[in-house]
Amino acid sequence: QVQLAESGGGLVQAGGSLRLCCAASGTIFSRNTMGWYRQAPGKQRELVATIASGGSTDYAESVKGRFTISRDNANATAYLQMNSLKPEDTAVYYCYCQEPNGRWGDLDYWGQGTQVTVSS
């Protein structure tokens, strides 16, 4: 069973930095696409960043140039480095894992979420 354990959230002032970690277990990590989504109060969950098994990345326009997603396949961990944080980045951040499953279609997994609060 795939499990995703997030850590690194917290309270930070605007302009500050945080690094989120997502430790995966129960899966062949190197084959998976990993990502981070976020959900602010009263809003839909939105994509923040993804990183494919080959290392290519994709970012939401709102975080480009400020956030960096990375992965450590040896330790089955994905990271989200968040710099120049803004109050509008305040949300619950969720780790996402997409596991290839051949002709049966990919399997999606989610972490429990970690709160990021940016004060002005």
Side-chain angles (χ1 to χ4, degrees), residues 47-69:
L47 171 69
V48 176
T50 60
I51 183 166
S53 58
S56 60
T57 58
D58 189 28
Y59 295 92
E61 284 296 325
S62 59
V63 306
K64 281 183 179 178
R66 300 188 298 123
F67 291 9
T68 302
I69 189 170

Side-chain angles (χ1 to χ4, degrees), residues 100-116:
N101 194 38
R103 59 191 175 98
W104 295 278
D106 297 337
L107 300 174
D108 297 337
Y109 300 93
W110 295 91
Q112 80 285 356
T114 185
Q115 177 70 47
V116 171

Side-chain angles (χ1 to χ4, degrees), residues 24-72:
S25 60
T27 183
I28 303 175
F29 182 84
S30 60
R31 300 191 310 171
N32 300 339
T33 291
M34 300 297 298
W36 292 92
Y37 284 69
R38 67 186 181 186
Q39 188 167 18
K43 295 188 176 181
Q44 290 188 330
R45 191 173 295 189
E46 63 176 2
L47 171 69
V48 176
T50 60
I51 183 166
S53 58
S56 60
T57 58
D58 189 28
Y59 295 92
E61 284 296 325
S62 59
V63 306
K64 281 183 179 178
R66 300 188 298 123
F67 291 9
T68 302
I69 189 170
S70 61
R71 63 192 297 157
D72 179 352

Side-chain angles (χ1 to χ4, degrees), residues 85-109:
L85 282 161
K86 304 176 181 179
E88 51 264 43
D89 294 318
T90 295
V92 177
Y93 283 70
Y94 296 90
C95 179
Y96 164 77
C97 170
Q98 185 178 73
E99 184 179 59
N101 194 38
R103 59 191 175 98
W104 295 278
D106 297 337
L107 300 174
D108 297 337
Y109 300 93

